[in-house]
């Protein structure tokens, strides 16, 4: 993007001549990702498991788009503890931060303990030193945990590497279309199938506690909305009305859902109290109203409506009032999702014959296109607001891609599956 | 335009409160200088020959000065600040007058003494002559016993001679008295003459002083106008200096701006804005450099309140092994020895 | 140009499908119910349909009428084999070429009240899934309304939308998308 293009300001131009001191204002930083070296972790004693912790951390940091991890073969030394660190080595390699660590068995070999230290190479200062213990079977959990700690120490932003992604896959098996609901790590690894059916599964949505998923399944031949408790696998069918049962969205307090039903004629948005199943109709229009998404403060929601002739994004107060159209940029703007801070919405935007993910500042109306691929769909924002996951077309398959919320970098998640769609980023999980 | 210019000006011009003092001191120095020059320059033409110096040395100051010599009160000077000089000068003048008066007195005294001596000598001479005459008379009377007749004649002659002698003596005495009177008159005359001369001199002196005073006043006026001119000149010089300093500042500033840009680019390229940066987060760091561009110290002067943000700024600065700085020592010292970096992201990711 | 091109393809595709199923496909431009009859009429007995059903019915006429009826029934049965109806992007407007076929279905349903159908609405893969679900439903409902207007009963019809989940043709490009924006009519 734009290279450092900065403004000079002399302090107190008119006042305090005696105090006059040159002041240089830096308004733009480096465009490239932050060089960080993650040294392979040392091991003492026998560590079972073949996960490369350092590589997990490197991949995580790279996925954020904010870091450029150094390849191991470029390293001049491989320290595993602070005493062995020679800053000069890393300075020579242009590295700004350095992570070293070592693993040792704990709890009779059942667990693994990691000691790790993060250094600011320029300042020659240790900025993080910690230990973490995890079951030997969950070394990837340990890797993501370390990534979160490193990310937060450097950026001041909470890391999302321990959060998860829910998504739908579609495969042809024995001439049948097989749908699966999956939940995986943010890097696409350790995916687990939560539901499998030869009828469509749609619209996975996380509850704010990160423990439940709502989704639409056609498994009975007709669409129904289910709430699925992940730890137990227990499911509740909460809506199966005539016509549409679609687009569930948990309220920020987790007590209610917005959903789309056509039981009264055409697609309208309703609010359902989960405990009582009581429905409140939110919209009333002959046009399609669907794809609701709560604002993080729960005071309003956004949705798609074609009441203007084509799909556009609207906002409505939580009590159903104060309807306002938000998008005007093209004839197709749909499926809005609020950013974590509630300041922006992300949505699908048609430009010419392509569909991209766009971002709009809700207050200013400023719009920017974040993705450059074709047929981009289903944006979902990471809980720290820094990243966006969405589905896009790659060849004849749909794949998941991660883009930084400012559109800076794109990262395609590796997937074993042929067709991956409708990603939903989980909240922070403890 | 900038403080630097102001700063440079303030370096050249003393703080305003010092100006009147300096001006006054300058004025005094100038007055004193002119007074002294005027004095030593006008003295030789009006003053008596240097022997007066020895006279002053011989005659103690105590010698009663004649009233006329007493310095008349000088006309009030226009500027009270000049008093010390005036008094000094008055004192000098008074001393001079005293010296002159003493000289005249001494002269008169000498004259008087001389006259006295001469009178005494004449008196003694007259007494001796009278004694001689009495002796001669007694001898003649004794011889008269014998030679009465002849002697009568002789006596008559003698008488005649005596009378003649008496007359002569009388005449002589008279002449002497006359001479004395004459001398006295002459002395008086001389005294009068001297007095007149003295008065004339005094008048001349007064006149001269008046002239001097006038001259000094003129000089003061000239000095005042000179000082005005000087002021104008100084103003002009200052304006010229300001212009020159402005030009120099402009030169230094353009040089400074060049390096500001280089530093900005270098720091910016090294600065990795953390993702937690929010609009309005600003951190200010104070940097101290060696003339080689190497970092001496960096400290956070205004924290953003976000430690990751502050840290990113510190790291950016510490990551630069050598800052681009100008070779010109003046420019370096003025702008780059110590300066501030403000980290204020305009576009946030 | 770019806007009309996809429509043109859709039109040609629709023509191809209908030409394969009906000899009267060419007449679709007239867009009227009577056009079918005129097509039948070419094989004789046009007057039968011209009148409002005369009171004096000759045997020969009956024979002709029966023939015509048989022929019309055969024609209608052939038309009812058409069970897929296509739509333009982001619309639920029934195309003119679909009307005759839908009328045949409606007539059949009204004549066979024990039969029921299921209407499945679909969209192409472009746009958002949930909006396409709603759009698919709107298409299915548009077809349902047309059938009811033309004699079918509401009780005979069930609608469902699959949105873009069940494309008829895999792949991309307007010709593929045009085949996927559809309502399928399925006899239960």
């Amino acid at each position: 993007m734009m290279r450092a293009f900065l403004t000079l300001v002399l302090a107190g131009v008119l006042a305090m001549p005696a105090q006059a001191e040159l002041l240089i204002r830096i308004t733009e930083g480096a465009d490239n990702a932050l060089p960080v070296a993650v040294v392979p972790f040392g091991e003492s004693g026998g560590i079972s498991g073949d996960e490369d912790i350092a590589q997990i951390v490197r991949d995580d940091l790279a996925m954020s788009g904010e870091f450029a991890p150094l390849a191991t073969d470029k390293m001049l030394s491989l320290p595993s503890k602070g005493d062995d660190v020679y800053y000069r080595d890393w300075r020579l390699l242009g590295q700004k931060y350095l992570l070293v660590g070592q693993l040792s068995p704990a709890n009779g070999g059942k667990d693994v303990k990691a000691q790790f230290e993060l250094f600011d190479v320029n300042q020659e200062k240790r900025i993080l030193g910690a230990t973490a213990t995890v079951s030997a079977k969950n070394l990837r959990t340990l890797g993501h945990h370390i990534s979160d700690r490193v990310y937060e120490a450097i950026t001041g932003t909470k890391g999302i590497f321990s959060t998860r992604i829910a998504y739908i896959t579609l495969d042809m098996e024995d001439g049948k279309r097989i749908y699966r609901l999956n939940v995986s790590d943010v890097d696409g690894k350790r995916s687990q199938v939560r539901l499998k059916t030869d009828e469509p599964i749609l619209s996975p949505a996380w509850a704010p506690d990160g423990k439940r998923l709502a989704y639409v399944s056609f498994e009975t031949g007709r669409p129904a909305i289910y709430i699925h408790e992940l730890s137990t696998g227990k499911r509740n069918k909460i809506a199966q009305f005539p016509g549409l049962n679609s687009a569930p969205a948990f309220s920020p307090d987790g007590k209610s859902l917005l959903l789309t039903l056509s039981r009264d004629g055409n697609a309208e948005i309703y609010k359902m109290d989960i405990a009582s199943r009581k429905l409140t109709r939110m919209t009333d229009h002959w046009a399609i109203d669907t794809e609701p998404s709560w604002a993080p403060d729960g005071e309003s929601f956004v949705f798609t409506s074609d009441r203007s002739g084509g799909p556009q994004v609207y906002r409505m107060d939580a009590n159903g009032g104060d309807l306002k159209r938000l998008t005007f940029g093209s004839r197709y703007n749909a499926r809005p999702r609020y950013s974590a801070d509630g300041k922006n919405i992300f949505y699908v935007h048609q430009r010419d014959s392509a569909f991209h993910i766009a971002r709009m500042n809700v207050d200013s109306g400023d719009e920017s296109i974040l993705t450059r691929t074709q047929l981009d769909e289903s944006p979902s924002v990471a809980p720290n607001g820094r990243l966006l996951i969405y589905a896009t077309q790659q060849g004849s398959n749909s794949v998941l891609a991660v883009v930084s919320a400012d559109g800076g970098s794109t990262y395609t998640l590796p997937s074993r599956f042929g067709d991956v769609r409708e990603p939903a980023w989980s909240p922070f999980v403890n | 335009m900038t403080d630097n210019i102001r700063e440079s000006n303030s370096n050249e011009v003393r703080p305003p409160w010092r100006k009147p003092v300096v001006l006054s001191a300058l004025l005094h120095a100038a007055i004193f200088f002119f007074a002294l020059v005027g004095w030593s320059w006008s003295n030789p033409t009006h003053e008596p020959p240097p022997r007066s110096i020895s006279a002053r040395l011989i005659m103690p100051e105590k010698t009663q000065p004649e009233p006329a010599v007493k310095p008349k009160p000088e006309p009030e000077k226009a500027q009270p600040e000049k008093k010390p000089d005036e008094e000094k000068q008055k004192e000098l003048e008074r001393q001079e007058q005293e010296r002159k008066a003493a000289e005249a007195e001494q002269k008169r005294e000498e004259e008087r003494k001389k006259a006295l001596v001469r009178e005494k000598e004449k008196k003694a001479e007259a007494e001796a002559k009278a004694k001689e005459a009495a002796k001669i008379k007694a001898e003649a009377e004794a011889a008269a016993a014998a030679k009465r007749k002849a002697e009568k004649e002789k006596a008559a002659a003698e008488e005649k001679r005596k009378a003649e002698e008496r007359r002569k003596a009388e005449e002589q005495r008279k002449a002497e008295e006359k001479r004395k009177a004459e001398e006295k008159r002459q002395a008086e005359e001389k005294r009068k003459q001297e007095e007149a001369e003295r008065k004339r001199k005094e008048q001349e002196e007064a006149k001269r002083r008046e002239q001097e005073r006038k001259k000094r006043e003129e000089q003061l006026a000239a000095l005042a106008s000179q000082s005005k001119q000087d002021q104008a000149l100084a103003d002009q010089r200052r304006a010229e200096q300001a212009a020159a300093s402005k030009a120099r500042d402009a030169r230094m500033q353009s040089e400074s701006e060049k390096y500001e840009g280089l530093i900005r680019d270098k720091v910016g390229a090294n600065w990795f804005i953390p993702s937690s940066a929010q609009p309005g987060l600003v951190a200010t760091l104070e940097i101290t450099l060696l003339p080689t561009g190497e970092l001496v110290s960096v400290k956070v002067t205004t924290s953003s309140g976000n430690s990751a943000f502050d840290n990113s700024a510190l790291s950016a600065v510490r990551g630069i092994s050598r800052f681009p700085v100008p070779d010109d020592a003046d420019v370096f010292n003025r702008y780059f020895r110590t300066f501030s970096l403000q980290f204020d992201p305009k576009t946030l990711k | 140009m770019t806007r009309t091109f996809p429509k043109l393809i859709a039109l040609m595709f629709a023509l191809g499908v209908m030409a394969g199923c009906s000899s009267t496909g060419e007449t679709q431009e007239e867009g009227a119910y009577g056009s079918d009859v005129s097509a039948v009429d070419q094989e004789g007995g046009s007057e039968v349909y011209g009148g409002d059903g005369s009171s004096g019915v000759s045997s020969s006429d009956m024979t002709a009428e029966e023939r015509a009826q048989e022929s019309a029934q055969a024609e209608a049965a052939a038309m009812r084999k058409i069970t897929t109806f296509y739509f333009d992007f982001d619309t639920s407007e029934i195309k003119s070429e679909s009307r005759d076929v839908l009328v045949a279905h409606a007539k059949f349903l009204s004549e066979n009240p024990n039969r029921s159908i299921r209407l499945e609405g679909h969209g192409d893969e472009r746009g958002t899934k949930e909006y396409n679900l709603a759009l698919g439903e709107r298409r299915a409902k548009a077809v349902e309304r047309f059938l009811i207007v033309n004699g079918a009963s509401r009780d005979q019809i069930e609608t469902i939308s699959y949105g873009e989940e069940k494309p008829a043709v895999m792949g991309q490009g307007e010709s593929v998308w045009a085949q996927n924006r559809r309502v399928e009519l399925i006899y239960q």
Side-chain angles (χ1 to χ4, degrees):
Chain A
M1 265 197 290
M2 300 136 287
R3 196 73 209 110
F5 175 74
L6 308 141
T7 330
L8 155 86
V9 171
L10 289 171
V13 167
L14 295 170
M16 300 175 67
Q19 273 292 313
E21 187 187 66
L22 182 67
L23 179 75
I24 302 174
R25 221 171 117 218
I26 317 290
T27 58
E28 289 196 25
D31 285 333
N32 45 324
L34 187 52
V36 60
V38 181
V39 181
F41 276 39
E43 287 180 20
S44 66
I47 303 291
S48 57
D50 52 359
E51 295 289 357
D52 181 345
I53 294 288
Q55 192 56 44
I56 294 169
V57 175
R58 270 180 230 131
D59 290 345
D60 282 350
L61 294 177
M63 187 182 87
S64 75
E66 297 173 47
F67 293 90
L70 182 71
T72 312
D73 58 13
K74 295 220 170 66
M75 294 177 185
L76 302 173
S77 54
L78 299 173
S80 60
K81 55 185 195 291
D83 296 342
D84 303 334
V85 168
Y86 293 96
Y87 291 110
R88 205 175 138 271
D89 288 355
W90 307 101
R91 211 183 241 271
L92 275 172
L93 292 164
Q95 300 304 299
K96 304 299 180 192
Y97 292 91
L98 169 69
L99 179 71
V100 301
Q102 49 191 339
L103 304 174
S104 55
N107 192 18
K110 283 182 190 165
D111 293 347
V112 172
K113 184 177 151 193
Q115 287 175 278
F116 55 98
E117 296 170 274
L118 178 66
F119 299 91
D120 181 326
V121 175
N122 284 343
Q123 298 198 67
E124 304 194 350
K125 189 172 94 174
R126 192 178 90 159
I127 59 173
L128 175 68
T131 61
T133 305
V134 76
S135 158
K137 288 179 278 182
N138 292 329
L139 280 177
R140 293 199 74 85
T141 303
L142 179 63
H144 293 316
H145 169 79
I146 295 170
S147 300
D148 282 339
R149 296 293 305 271
V150 168
Y151 182 85
E152 187 166 359
I154 296 173
T155 67
T157 306
K158 201 170 176 186
I160 43 75
F161 305 109
S162 299
T163 61
R164 300 203 276 170
I165 307 288
Y167 57 94
I168 311 294
T169 55
L170 171 62
D171 297 282
M172 294 303 287
E173 292 175 9
D174 303 327
K176 284 175 93 178
R177 298 165 71 87
I178 304 297
Y179 286 84
R180 288 183 179 88
L181 168 66
N182 308 269
V183 175
S184 77
D185 288 359
V186 286
D187 57 6
K189 301 284 175 58
R190 295 199 296 185
S191 70
Q192 290 181 303
V193 179
R194 299 304 181 139
L195 179 69
K196 179 185 166 190
T197 165
D198 55 5
E199 288 292 335
I201 305 171
L202 284 155
S203 312
W206 289 92
D209 59 11
K211 291 171 178 161
R212 293 170 293 160
L213 274 175
Y215 54 82
V216 175
S217 169
F218 284 65
E219 66 198 67
T220 61
R222 296 206 59 82
I225 295 172
Y226 298 80
I227 291 178
H228 188 137
E229 202 166 298
L230 292 175
S231 58
T232 61
K234 189 171 161 256
R235 301 203 301 160
N236 266 318
K237 184 158 76 178
I238 60 150
Q240 190 167 28
F241 296 97
L244 291 174
N245 292 271
S246 168
F250 278 95
S251 61
D253 64 6
K255 288 177 180 168
S256 65
L257 278 176
L258 287 176
L259 42 85
T260 300
L261 304 173
S262 61
R263 64 169 201 170
D264 296 321
N266 78 321
E268 302 286 0
I269 293 164
Y270 297 76
K271 183 165 79 177
M272 176 188 276
D273 180 78
I274 293 170
S276 68
R277 305 280 169 89
K278 188 175 160 266
L279 283 173
T280 309
R281 186 166 167 174
M282 305 302 289
T283 62
D284 188 358
H285 198 277
W286 52 262
I288 292 171
D289 293 322
T290 188
E291 301 174 341
S293 168
W294 282 102
D297 62 5
E299 308 249 307
S300 65
F301 64 93
V302 286
F303 64 100
T304 306
S305 174
D306 73 341
R307 58 187 67 196
S308 70
Q312 297 292 343
V313 175
Y314 292 75
R315 183 168 66 170
M316 184 178 267
D317 274 357
N319 60 19
D322 198 24
L323 182 78
K324 190 188 172 196
R325 181 174 166 179
L326 297 181
T327 55
F328 296 89
S330 81
R331 67 190 188 96
Y332 199 115
N333 294 289
R335 218 198 83 131
R337 287 292 183 272
Y338 263 106
S339 65
D341 62 7
K343 288 176 182 166
N344 294 293
I345 51 168
F346 300 92
Y347 50 95
V348 175
H349 167 92
Q350 187 184 17
R351 173 165 289 186
D352 300 327
S353 62
F355 289 81
H356 299 300
I357 307 302
R359 179 190 63 199
M360 176 183 280
N361 182 292
V362 175
D363 291 331
S364 70
D366 291 344
E367 184 178 66
S368 47
I369 311 300
L370 302 180
T371 61
R372 287 162 188 84
T373 37
Q374 304 268 315
L375 295 173
D376 303 332
E377 270 196 84
S378 308
S380 178
V381 193
N384 71 355
R386 297 295 311 146
L387 295 171
L388 195 69
I389 192 165
Y390 67 101
T392 187
Q393 207 74 28
Q394 197 174 74
S396 59
N397 285 329
S398 176
V399 296
L400 301 189
V402 173
V403 65
S404 74
D406 59 22
S409 66
T410 308
Y411 178 93
T412 304
L413 286 179
S415 171
R416 295 170 294 161
F417 300 103
D419 201 351
V420 191
R421 47 181 65 196
E422 292 200 277
W425 209 310
S426 83
F428 286 117
V429 252
N430 297 319
Chain B
M1 193 170 77
T2 69
D3 289 314
N4 301 302
I5 290 167
R6 296 171 72 90
E7 193 183 22
S8 78
N9 280 347
S10 75
N11 282 342
E12 279 150 28
V13 178
R14 302 262 163 85
W17 60 269
R18 291 176 70 177
K19 280 181 188 172
V21 177
V22 171
L23 206 65
S24 148
L26 273 167
L27 207 62
H28 275 79
I31 289 163
F32 190 57
F33 174 76
F34 275 104
L36 278 176
V37 166
W39 175 260
S40 58
W41 168 79
S42 57
N43 248 2
T45 53
H46 293 276
E47 280 303 300
R51 96 184 152 84
S52 62
I53 293 163
S54 63
R56 189 170 67 103
L57 284 172
I58 290 157
M59 295 307 291
E61 288 283 352
K62 270 182 246 169
T63 313
Q64 205 181 343
E66 280 175 62
V69 185
K70 267 188 181 165
K72 284 176 193 168
E74 290 267 344
E76 218 72 282
K77 293 287 182 272
Q79 280 165 287
E81 296 104 299
K82 288 164 196 160
K83 242 175 190 165
D85 303 299
E86 205 72 17
E87 272 167 13
K88 216 168 186 178
Q89 192 165 342
K90 267 189 206 167
E91 177 64 15
L92 283 167
E93 280 167 11
R94 193 183 55 76
Q95 281 175 9
E96 183 60 20
Q97 280 164 9
E98 277 171 7
R99 188 181 55 76
K100 279 183 203 161
E103 268 171 35
E105 175 68 9
Q106 186 208 8
K107 215 172 178 183
R108 275 195 302 278
E109 186 69 9
E110 276 171 8
E111 291 296 326
R112 199 176 55 78
K113 274 183 179 169
K114 269 185 204 164
L116 216 66
V117 167
R118 271 196 300 272
E119 211 168 342
K120 265 181 184 168
E121 277 173 356
K122 274 166 194 165
K123 227 174 186 174
E125 201 179 333
E127 272 171 12
K129 271 175 185 170
K131 267 181 187 170
E132 184 88 6
K135 206 176 177 179
I136 289 162
K137 197 181 172 183
E139 280 174 8
E141 276 170 10
K147 298 173 203 176
R148 211 154 287 176
K149 200 181 168 189
E151 267 196 28
K152 255 187 184 173
E153 286 171 12
K154 226 186 169 177
E158 186 64 15
E159 197 67 27
K160 216 181 164 179
R161 195 193 50 90
K162 271 181 186 171
E164 183 60 21
E165 271 182 3
R166 269 196 300 273
R167 191 192 51 84
K168 270 182 184 171
E170 184 62 13
E171 274 177 2
Q172 203 174 11
R173 191 192 53 83
K174 273 180 179 169
E176 182 62 16
E177 272 173 5
K178 202 180 173 182
R179 192 189 55 86
K180 270 185 189 166
E182 179 62 17
E183 274 181 359
K184 207 176 179 179
R185 191 195 54 79
Q186 275 177 359
E188 181 66 13
E189 212 163 76
K190 198 177 179 187
R191 194 190 60 81
K192 273 179 181 165
Q193 253 178 16
E194 278 173 0
E195 179 72 4
E197 174 69 10
R198 189 183 57 78
K199 275 185 177 163
R200 190 189 57 79
K201 272 190 182 166
E202 267 179 15
Q203 276 168 358
E204 272 179 7
E205 180 63 21
K207 205 171 161 187
R208 188 188 60 80
R209 268 201 226 103
E210 178 63 19
Q211 278 171 350
E212 249 171 44
R213 190 184 60 78
K214 274 185 182 161
K215 195 169 178 179
R216 254 199 316 276
E217 277 172 4
E218 279 165 13
Q219 281 169 351
L220 279 169
L223 202 65
S225 91
Q226 180 68 32
S227 114
K228 258 182 198 162
Q229 280 177 9
D230 286 354
Q231 182 76 35
L233 216 67
D235 284 349
Q236 195 191 332
R237 207 162 42 237
R238 210 166 22 245
E240 280 165 6
Q241 278 173 357
S245 123
K246 216 172 201 168
R248 195 178 67 243
D249 282 350
R251 214 166 44 244
M252 288 176 79
Q253 200 174 322
S254 80
E255 183 80 348
S256 139
E257 274 168 13
K258 180 181 145 197
Y259 283 92
E260 281 161 29
L262 291 172
I263 289 172
R264 222 157 45 213
D265 288 351
K266 194 152 192 179
V267 175
N270 256 284
W271 183 31
F272 293 88
I273 306 175
S275 53
S276 60
Q278 294 289 311
L281 270 196
V282 179
T284 308
L285 271 53
E286 192 178 80
I287 315 293
T288 304
L289 299 180
L290 290 174
T292 57
E294 286 161 292
L295 187 72
V296 175
S297 69
V298 54
K299 64 171 190 225
V300 178
T301 48
T302 311
S303 168
S304 66
N306 175 328
S307 61
F309 188 85
D310 289 357
N311 214 50
S312 73
L314 283 167
S315 194
V317 169
R318 288 215 180 272
I320 295 167
S321 52
R322 203 174 280 264
F323 283 76
V325 290
D327 295 331
D328 185 332
D330 286 347
V331 180
F332 174 80
N333 285 327
R334 188 192 283 191
Y335 297 105
F336 298 106
R337 185 171 288 284
T338 298
F339 63 96
S340 285
L341 283 174
Q342 192 179 63
F343 292 80
D344 183 6
K346 197 167 62 188
T347 52
L348 287 172
K349 288 186 174 177
Chain C
M1 263 289 266
T2 47
R3 262 188 70 107
T4 54
F5 182 65
K7 278 187 176 174
L8 201 64
I9 291 172
L11 201 65
M12 285 161 64
F13 176 75
L15 282 170
V17 169
M18 293 186 81
C21 300
S22 166
S23 60
T24 60
E26 297 84 17
T27 62
Q28 50 86 29
E29 278 174 6
E30 288 156 39
Y33 178 49
S35 63
D36 286 1
V37 180
S38 68
V40 173
D41 198 36
Q42 282 174 345
E43 296 183 10
S46 67
E47 68 275 14
V48 175
Y49 270 89
D52 210 345
S54 56
S55 52
V57 177
S58 68
S59 63
S60 69
D61 277 345
M62 280 181 72
T63 311
E65 196 173 291
E66 276 169 11
R67 273 212 320 268
Q69 206 163 11
E70 273 170 26
S71 173
Q73 274 169 359
E75 187 69 24
M79 283 178 74
R80 287 202 305 277
K81 285 179 181 161
I82 300 173
T83 55
T84 305
F85 309 92
Y86 298 92
F87 295 82
D88 286 337
F89 179 67
D90 195 25
T91 71
S92 54
E93 195 184 326
I94 294 166
K95 294 188 179 187
S96 52
E97 68 263 26
S98 305
R99 289 169 183 257
D100 301 340
V101 182
L102 286 173
V103 165
H105 284 298
K107 197 170 179 226
F108 179 81
L109 286 171
S110 73
E111 287 163 359
N112 301 279
N114 60 329
R115 298 299 302 271
S116 68
I117 57 162
R118 174 180 162 105
L119 295 171
E120 294 182 355
H122 299 273
D124 67 28
E125 63 180 350
R126 296 178 301 160
T128 62
K129 289 186 186 299
E130 287 137 332
Y131 181 77
N132 281 341
L133 267 182
L135 197 56
E137 183 183 60
R138 187 194 265 171
R139 284 170 179 156
K141 295 244 180 190
V143 171
E144 180 188 37
R145 257 194 315 278
F146 188 94
L147 293 173
I148 290 167
V149 163
N150 285 283
S153 162
R154 190 181 295 273
D155 299 337
Q156 295 174 286
I157 306 167
E158 181 195 8
T159 61
I160 187 169
S161 172
Y162 286 105
E164 60 185 79
E165 298 309 313
K166 295 190 172 182
V169 182
M170 297 301 285
Q172 284 172 19
E174 180 53 38
S175 67
V176 171
W177 294 329
Q179 293 176 71
N180 289 336
R181 290 189 301 265
R182 70 201 194 275
V183 169
E184 289 183 9
L185 188 155
I186 300 154
Y187 282 92
Q188 301 290 73

